[in-house]
């Protein structure tokens, strides 16, 4: 299933691809440079017609990573577009201007991991409570909130 | 037992508060109202405003954003007001205990107010009804 | 003058209930904002502290009504990560459980939709027919919800074949009742007047928002994870994807109702084709790597991503519920509609009842509460009553 799609992806993304790995028939992971993210998303979402599923942000050994998951329903493949940075203050381009459906997940990553998204139309807090301190990101390694969050009662 | 209490035990009006639950408990509460379990045969009625309520049915693990509202709601309810902790989450935060998004458990949030604990994940509608009946009995002794 | 109408905040369908703020000009909705986070429990972080075998118990508590779909997506993610083959009988069992869940979830939605429209009979009936489904769940798995059936590499318990005849019998009953409900909904002129052409979600908007499940299938985009990315036993039995292209609330209701009939079909065929055999492939170790799993929940696709570093706990687990994508579509569907229709439009993506029960209308100038949730539902019910009178019912 995925051969034709991988072929198509390599042809269209070309030099933008930093790494492409085919995990199995149904899963493909592509890494691009943060600067190429918007262009790559445009190709996959607009030109190739994928459905945007969601994104996963995470803190890795050195720095941060964001995976945007795209689903090709007719070809039975999930393509995950990876961007990473080694910075301690991660910032990526927002893809919400291209895909409306990405608004929530980018705000969520900003809340929980402290990843900023350049060009997000509505960068407000999404799921943490209003009394949560601004610089504590619960999904970062360990238990970063300990000793920093006020008891409510 | 005064007339007021007597009336209350005959027809307890319940208000349902959900604060960080997985909604299974909430659905089981609603299920109690439906034809099979029909909690209305005990005179219990689900009301839309806490100011009319005799009993609060609280579900969920007390999320930081909603726990304060539970406290506010309890303050607004006319007393005596029974508080039932429905589900393991409301009883002791269950599987979510220790999470960053939660605050103090219900019985610390409303010290001394919880009348009955109905454990279970989710508790069966029978258990919820039995919890309500037992909670009403505590009033009868007064 | 614009009035702001907050609806919410409680909505327990996913991790996060939400608060809608409707901006209303006279009778018309001009803008809508959504705020979520009222039910956030930090499940993704909790999962990092549990072993791979414990996580299914946590993820089934993401949402009570998707308590088979989330674990299915999770175990599939781990199976994808570690290349695990699942025995065939386990696949059938997974399908049976998820379809039972879809049945009771859609019936629940139908009942609540009926309530919002002022058809309390539909509410009581739908919930009455839902009970036998829950009974079957209890008999087969031991609990009415939160079944604890799924496990990486298979299922935790086998189904007792001696129960099948009685299950099939109740499926026949349910089939009859469902057909009656389908007839009642499709023949009712008042429902047509109330639901047709209301809350339009165009296919373009659906794609931009990434809408899922019945919400998008009613907009003429027939995507269904069960068919497009077959898992469990969905490619082993025969069934159809339901899709209509009316793009409105009516379409969403019809899709859900007809899907119930398909679910009955799938359950019957699965029970019929199931052969005795292994139910677990005995997974010992999870290697380092990453995996993705998705499954079709009653409301759309649930999506899970798991990463492992070779220890016995995931280092990252991401879960996305379908309403997360469906909810923002409310901006496309409610703006321009009348406030009396807002309840049913918001309910039509099936975001569960709790939010709608706690609606309130606030006047922007004074900040005073002008209407509360009950009154809003009353408004909606009143409109149905008037329509009925006009039609001389
Ligand atoms: S006790 Fe169980 S069923 Fe009830 S809200 Fe908590 S997790 Fe859900």
């Amino acid at each position: 299933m995925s051969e034709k799609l991988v072929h198509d992806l390599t042809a269209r993304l070309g030099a933008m691809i930093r790494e492409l790995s085919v995990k199995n028939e149904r899963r493909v992971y592509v890494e691009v440079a943060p600067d190429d993210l918007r262009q790559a998303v445009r190709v996959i979402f607009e030109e190739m017609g994928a459905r945007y599923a969601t994104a996963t942000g995470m803190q890795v050994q050195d720095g941060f990573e964001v995976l945007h998951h795209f689903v090709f329903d007719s070809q039975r493949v999930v393509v995950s577009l990876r961007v990473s940075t080694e910075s301690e203050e991660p910032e990526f381009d927002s893809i919400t201007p291209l895909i409306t459906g990405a608004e929530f997940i980018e705000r969520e990553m900003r809340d929980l991991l402290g990843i900023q998204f350049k060009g997000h139309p509505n960068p407000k807090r999404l799921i943490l409570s209003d009394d949560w301190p601004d610089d504590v990101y619960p999904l970062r390694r360990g238990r970063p909130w300990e000793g920093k969050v006020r008891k409510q009662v | 037992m005064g007339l007021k209490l007597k009336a209350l035990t005959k027809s307890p009006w319940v208000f349902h508060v959900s604060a960080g639950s997985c909604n299974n408990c909430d659905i089981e509460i609603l299920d109690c109202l439906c034809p099979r379990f029909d909690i209305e045969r005990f005179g219990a009625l689900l009301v839309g405003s806490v100011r009319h309520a005799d009993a609060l049915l609280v579900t969920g693990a007390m999320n930081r954003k909603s726990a304060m509202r539970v406290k506010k709601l309890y303050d607004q309810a006319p007393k005596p007001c029974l508080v039932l902790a429905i589900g393991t989450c409301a009883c002791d935060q269950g599987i979510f205990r220790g999470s960053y998004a939660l605050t103090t458990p219900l019985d610390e949030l409303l010290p001394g107010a919880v009348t009955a604990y109905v454990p279970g994940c989710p508790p069966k509608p029978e258990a919820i009804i039995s919890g309500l009946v037992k909670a009403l009995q505590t009033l009868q002794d007064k | 003058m614009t009035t702001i109408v907050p609806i919410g905040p409680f909505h327990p369908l996913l991790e996060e209930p939400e608060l809608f703020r409707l901006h209303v000009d006279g009778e018309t909705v001009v803008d809508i904002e959504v705020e979520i986070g009222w039910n956030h429990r930090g499940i993704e972080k909790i999962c990092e502290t549990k072993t791979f075998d414990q996580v299914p118990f946590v993820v089934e508590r993401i949402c009570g009504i998707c308590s088979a779909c989330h674990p299915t997506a999770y175990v599939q993610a781990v199976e994808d990560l570690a290349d695990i083959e699942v025995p065939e009988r386990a696949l059938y069992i997974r399908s049976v459980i998820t379809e039972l869940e879809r049945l009771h979830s859609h019936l629940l939605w139908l009942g609540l939709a009926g309530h919002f429209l002022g058809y309390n009979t539909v509410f009581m009936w739908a919930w009455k027919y839902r009970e036998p489904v829950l009974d079957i769940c209890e008999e087969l798995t031991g609990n009415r919800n939160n079944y604890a059936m799924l496990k990486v590499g298979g299922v935790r318990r086998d189904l007792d074949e001696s129960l099948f005849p009685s299950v099939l019998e109740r499926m026949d009953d349910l089939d009859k009742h469902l057909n009656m409900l389908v007839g009642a909904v499709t023949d009712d002129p008042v429902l047509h007047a109330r639901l047709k052409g209301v809350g339009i979600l165009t296919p373009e908007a659906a794609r931009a928002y990434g809408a899922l499940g019945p919400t998008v299938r009613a907009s003429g985009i027939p995507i269904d994870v069960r068919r497009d990315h077959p898992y469990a036993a969905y490619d082993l039995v025969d069934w159809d994807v339901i899709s209509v292209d009316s793009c409105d609330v009516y379409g969403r209701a019809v899709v859900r109702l007809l899907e119930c009939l398909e679910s009955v079909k799938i359950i019957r065929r699965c029970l019929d084709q199931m052969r005795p055999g292994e139910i677990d492939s005995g997974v010992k170790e999870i290697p380092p790597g990453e995996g993705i799993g998705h499954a079709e929940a009653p409301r759309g696709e649930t999506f899970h991503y798991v990463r492992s570093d070779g220890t016995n706990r995931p280092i990252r687990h991401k879960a996305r519920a379908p309403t997360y994508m469906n909810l923002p579509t409310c901006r496309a569907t409610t703006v321009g509609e009348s406030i009396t229709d807002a309840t049913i439009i918001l309910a039509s993506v099936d975001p569960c009842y709790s939010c709608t029960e706690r609606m309130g209308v606030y006047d922007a100038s004074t900040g005073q509460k002008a209407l509360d949730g009950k009154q809003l539902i009353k408004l909606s019910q009143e409109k149905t009553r008037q329509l009925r009178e006009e039609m001389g019912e």
Side-chain angles (χ1 to χ4, degrees):
Chain A
M1 282 287 165
S2 53
E3 285 126 57
K4 199 181 147 280
L5 188 79
V6 170
H7 188 80
D8 214 13
L9 270 176
T10 8
R12 286 178 195 253
L13 293 178
M16 280 191 269
I17 300 179
R18 269 195 186 166
E19 197 191 320
L20 186 146
S21 70
V22 181
K23 180 154 185 340
N24 55 39
E25 279 245 290
R26 294 170 165 204
R27 306 283 184 256
V28 177
Y29 294 85
V30 186
E31 173 152 10
V32 298
D35 289 340
D36 293 333
L37 176 66
R38 275 215 191 148
Q39 187 52 32
V41 167
R42 183 172 292 130
V43 169
I44 296 179
F45 182 74
E46 284 171 11
E47 292 178 21
M48 299 177 67
R51 170 165 66 81
Y52 182 68
T54 191
T56 307
M58 68 194 113
Q59 187 175 25
V60 288
Q61 212 71 32
D62 37 3
F64 290 83
E65 225 178 79
V66 171
L67 278 162
H68 289 285
H69 306 286
F70 292 89
V71 186
F72 287 87
D73 283 306
S74 47
Q75 282 115 315
R76 303 192 166 174
V77 183
V78 179
V79 175
S80 303
L81 195 63
R82 191 194 310 271
V83 281
S84 58
T85 169
E86 291 189 356
S87 157
E88 276 309 296
E89 278 166 16
E91 189 175 44
F92 295 105
D93 281 333
S94 164
I95 62 164
T96 311
L98 296 172
I99 307 173
T100 331
E103 180 190 334
F104 269 23
I105 185 67
E106 289 190 337
R107 281 167 68 187
E108 179 185 315
M109 286 191 272
R110 181 178 165 273
D111 270 21
L112 300 180
L113 281 153
I115 302 176
Q116 303 296 330
F117 289 90
K118 254 182 291 177
H120 192 289
N122 187 20
K124 280 199 295 198
R125 180 170 277 193
L126 182 74
I127 50 183
L128 290 176
S129 65
D130 297 332
D131 62 351
W132 188 270
D134 270 334
D135 53 347
V136 181
Y137 304 111
L139 277 192
R140 290 200 179 176
R141 213 171 294 127
R143 297 170 71 82
W145 62 89
E146 247 157 37
K148 294 210 181 143
V149 175
R150 197 172 47 83
K151 271 210 146 177
Q152 283 184 312
V153 183
Chain B
M1 185 164 46
L3 184 64
K4 217 169 93 188
L5 268 187
K6 181 147 191 221
L8 195 158
T9 53
K10 289 283 178 221
S11 156
W13 285 10
V14 297
F15 182 77
H16 163 210
V17 199
S18 138
S21 72
C22 78
N23 93 353
N24 226 333
C25 284
D26 313 67
I27 291 167
E28 294 294 47
I29 288 178
L30 222 65
D31 228 8
C32 293
L33 293 167
C34 287
R36 159 123 18 130
F37 299 101
D38 193 16
I39 199 172
E40 288 187 14
R41 68 204 145 109
F42 302 106
L45 192 70
L46 197 70
V47 290
S49 161
V50 71
R51 290 176 203 279
H52 301 161
D54 300 313
L56 294 185
L57 306 180
V58 187
T59 64
M62 298 302 129
N63 153 295
R64 289 184 72 89
K65 222 167 166 173
S66 38
M68 285 302 112
R69 298 206 166 205
V70 175
K71 201 168 161 58
K72 250 188 225 152
L73 283 171
Y74 178 72
D75 292 342
Q76 288 173 2
K79 309 288 174 315
C81 177
L82 301 170
V83 178
L84 277 81
I86 309 280
T88 308
C89 278
C91 293
D92 68 349
Q93 303 191 324
I95 203 164
F96 305 116
R97 187 171 208 130
S99 163
Y100 62 86
L102 303 183
T103 175
T104 37
L106 178 67
D107 40 12
E108 284 172 43
L109 193 73
L110 309 174
V114 181
T115 332
Y117 296 87
V118 185
C121 188
K124 298 214 172 347
E126 292 94 330
I128 297 176
I129 297 174
S130 131
L132 186 67
V133 171
K134 282 186 185 152
L136 288 175
Q137 270 162 10
T138 63
L139 286 180
Q140 247 139 28
D141 306 335
K142 276 188 192 152
Chain C
M1 187 198 72
T2 335
T3 314
I4 300 180
V5 186
I7 301 177
F10 292 108
H11 160 331
L13 182 68
L14 28 147
E15 305 99 294
E16 302 98 5
E18 68 285 310
L19 173 70
F20 294 102
R21 276 196 203 90
L22 292 181
H23 296 244
V24 193
D25 187 1
E27 278 269 298
T28 320
V29 180
V30 288
D31 194 11
I32 182 163
E33 296 164 49
V34 193
E35 182 185 332
I36 61 175
W38 307 91
N39 231 354
H40 180 65
R41 283 154 289 158
I43 287 190
E44 291 176 11
K45 191 78 181 183
I46 297 175
C47 288
E48 292 169 19
T49 67
K50 305 276 184 224
T51 64
F52 281 102
D53 210 30
Q54 290 171 328
V55 174
F57 297 109
V58 183
V59 293
E60 83 185 1
R61 282 158 181 84
I62 288 178
C63 162
I65 204 107
C66 302
S67 58
C69 296
H70 277 291
T72 311
Y74 163 77
V75 296
Q76 280 170 189
V78 180
E79 283 155 9
D80 175 45
L81 189 163
D83 279 326
I84 299 164
E85 279 281 324
V86 183
E88 196 177 88
R89 188 175 172 87
L91 294 178
Y92 278 113
I93 295 177
R94 284 183 185 177
S95 275
V96 172
I97 302 301
T98 35
E99 286 316 303
L100 283 170
E101 181 177 270
R102 192 179 321 277
L103 270 177
H104 79 67
S105 169
H106 282 348
L107 283 171
L108 175 138
W109 177 81
L110 181 73
L112 293 167
H115 172 64
F116 295 143
L117 289 174
Y119 278 86
N120 273 323
T121 326
V122 175
F123 178 32
M124 292 294 162
W125 273 5
W127 283 60
K128 189 171 131 202
Y129 300 141
R130 185 174 167 261
E131 283 298 324
V133 184
L134 292 174
D135 286 347
I136 296 175
C137 291
E138 188 169 358
E139 283 164 24
L140 292 180
T141 71
N143 204 355
R144 288 158 60 91
N145 328 72
N146 292 357
Y147 319 102
M149 284 295 273
L150 284 121
K151 177 179 186 205
V152 175
V155 289
R156 233 167 263 277
R157 280 183 294 271
D158 205 349
L159 300 186
D160 180 354
E161 304 230 346
S162 67
L163 294 170
F164 289 4
S166 99
V167 172
L168 288 171
E169 212 173 282
R170 275 174 281 177
M171 283 294 133
D172 290 340
D173 275 350
L174 189 66
D175 208 24
K176 254 185 258 148
H177 297 315
L178 283 171
N179 275 314
M180 181 204 65
L181 284 172
V182 173
V185 169
T186 46
D187 283 346
D188 189 331
V190 180
L191 281 186
H192 283 227
R194 224 23 247 283
L195 305 180
K196 278 202 170 157
V198 168
I200 297 284
L201 181 69
T202 58
E204 296 75 41
R207 195 175 120 72
Y209 282 103
L212 298 162
T215 311
V216 65
R217 286 198 286 276
S219 291
I221 306 179
I223 52 168
D224 192 319
V225 184
R226 294 175 289 171
R227 182 200 56 195
D228 300 335
H229 308 264
Y231 62 98
Y234 291 114
D235 50 347
L236 305 174
V237 296
D238 201 24
W239 60 282
D240 299 312
V241 173
I242 304 289
S243 148
V244 298
D245 50 12
S246 63
C247 305
D248 54 7
V249 177
Y250 183 74
R252 280 164 236 158
V254 169
V255 166
R256 286 201 175 86
L257 270 170
L258 296 180
E259 263 182 22
C260 288
L261 293 172
E262 289 301 312
S263 296
V264 172
K265 208 155 99 187
I266 298 174
I267 293 169
R268 276 207 200 114
R269 302 227 163 117
C270 283
L271 293 185
D272 198 38
Q273 293 180 12
M274 208 187 281
R275 296 285 162 262
E278 282 293 307
I279 55 160
D280 183 11
S281 57
V283 178
K284 295 255 154 30
E285 230 176 275
I286 308 290
E290 50 193 345
I292 290 170
H294 47 171
E296 185 79 15
R299 290 153 189 81
E301 175 203 46
T302 47
F303 192 100
H304 284 234
Y305 169 89
V306 176
R307 181 182 283 197
S308 149
D309 60 352
T311 56
N312 62 350
R313 285 153 215 260
I315 50 169
R316 179 79 172 96
H317 173 217
K318 162 88 202 152
R320 195 231 44 212
T323 307
Y324 202 81
M325 305 304 277
N326 285 338
L327 197 58
T329 61
C330 64
R331 182 168 283 148
T333 50
T334 42
V335 171
E337 298 281 355
S338 134
I339 180 117
T340 47
D341 290 330
T343 346
I344 188 66
I345 297 176
L346 293 176
S348 75
V349 303
D350 195 0
C352 239
Y353 53 91
S354 270
C355 64
T356 17
E357 299 228 307
R358 282 181 184 69
M359 294 209 269
V361 180
Y362 287 79
D363 197 305
S365 52
T366 57
Q368 288 270 302
K369 200 168 180 180
L371 281 171
D372 69 6
K374 273 206 149 168
Q375 285 165 306
L376 260 181
I377 295 180
K378 273 223 184 81
L379 261 183
S380 167
Q381 296 178 340
E382 186 64 16
K383 181 166 174 187
T384 311
R385 206 184 51 75
Q386 278 173 4
L387 268 171
R388 265 173 144 164
E389 274 173 10
E390 280 164 24
M391 294 192 176
E393 266 200 18

